[in-house]
Amino acid sequence: MSEPVVVVGGWASPFVTRVCIALKLKGVEYEFLQEAVGRKSELLLRSNPVHKKMPVLLHGGRPVCESLVILQYVDEAFPGSSILPDDPYHRAVHRFWAEYADAKLHTALRTMRGMVGGDKADAAEQVSAALRQLEDALAECSGGKPYFGGDDVGFLDIVVGSYIGWFGAAEKIAGLRVGVLDEASTPRLAAWAARFCAHEAVRDLMPDADRLVEFGEVLRAALAANVSSRP
């Protein structure tokens, strides 16, 4: 019997979503343990005592932390088509753009959602500028094929694609008239996003923008309640 696989996290987190997509691509069955909104379980804190963040992958009871590390672990630990490119140089390029996406998108999207301070319009422009860079990266990495990974979804597709639901949610929260993922400025990326969300390994895992907006309201209320209850 194979060792059990457990994902500890929250359905709305892009970092958790990407882990679930990778496991589904590999055909790995797993148990999903949903964290309570605004709280951290003892299992999470025990499994990731350094950063105290989700997601955590438990494989045979052994924890693997940080989503980019988990993706690479999943690629190496389970059989099936590779998520990362076989060529070392291309692997390095995909890792570079994955780090770039997380560095440029995560905080700016949180600002747009009102989760951290800052100007929402400026944050939206930061996201748009990053997506224009990723438009060029898509052309470079895909070689004219449908995905960053070529003929099928790969590592970089999973990383960038995990934010797609939050693009729409952040736009609604910020009250933008024009979306950050705009067909006029990033046509390749817009077409790629539609393909990615329709992929059989993705479509049941990609959160809906309206549901994410509702989640954002619940999260803000939960965090505010936690702050007010502190002595």
Side-chain angles (χ1 to χ4, degrees):
M1 183 179 294
S2 60
E3 294 180 304
V5 178
V6 178
V7 177
V8 182
W11 66 268
S13 166
F15 305 108
V16 175
T17 297
R18 61 180 57 163
V19 172
C20 295
I21 291 172
L23 289 170
K24 192 162 184 179
L25 273 173
K26 286 283 191 173
V28 177
E29 293 187 4
Y30 63 93
E31 179 184 1
F32 186 83
L33 297 182
Q34 171 70 42
E35 289 286 292
V37 177
R39 297 201 301 269
K40 296 179 181 180
S41 69
E42 286 299 320
L43 176 60
L44 175 65
L45 295 174
R46 184 171 67 251
S47 302
N48 189 359
V50 176
H51 294 300
K52 302 178 174 63
K53 293 179 181 178
M54 57 182 167
V56 172
L57 178 78
L58 297 172
H59 185 200
R62 297 175 299 177
V64 184
C65 306
E66 297 296 295
S67 67
L68 296 185
V69 176
I70 295 172
L71 293 186
Q72 293 172 72
Y73 176 83
V74 168
D75 199 23
E76 295 171 0
F78 300 103
S81 299
S82 295
I83 295 173
L84 277 156
D86 293 330
D87 179 78
Y89 175 76
H90 292 151
R91 281 203 302 272
V93 170
H94 283 229
R95 287 184 178 121
F96 169 85
W97 284 114
E99 295 278 1
Y100 174 87
D102 279 353
K104 297 297 184 180
L105 297 176
H106 178 53
T107 299
L109 284 170
R110 292 189 73 207
T111 301
M112 290 174 65
R113 293 159 47 202
M115 298 302 297
V116 295
D119 183 88
K120 291 183 179 180
D122 181 62
E125 176 49 39
Q126 291 178 40
V127 173
S128 295
L131 292 176
R132 289 192 291 272
Q133 290 277 14
L134 289 166
E135 171 92 349
D136 294 337
L138 176 59
E140 172 192 356
C141 294
S142 69
K145 294 180 178 180
Y147 299 100
F148 284 98
D151 291 318
D152 202 359
V153 166
F155 175 77
L156 188 52
D157 297 280
I158 296 169
V159 172
V160 179
S162 64
Y163 288 108
I164 291 174
W166 277 113
F167 291 152
E171 290 158 9
K172 291 174 183 286
I173 294 169
L176 300 183
R177 295 180 182 178
V178 178
V180 292
L181 187 56
D182 180 23
E183 290 184 7
S185 58
T186 52
R188 287 193 193 92
L189 207 59
W192 161 84
R195 283 193 298 274
F196 179 80
C197 290
H199 193 282
E200 61 182 1
V202 178
R203 56 177 175 252
D204 294 334
L205 295 170
M206 183 60 61
D208 174 74
D210 288 331
R211 190 181 175 206
L212 287 172
V213 171
E214 294 175 2
F215 169 82
E217 295 171 355
V218 171
L219 178 59
R220 280 191 292 273
L223 294 176
N226 286 343
V227 170
S228 64
S229 65
R230 291 175 186 169

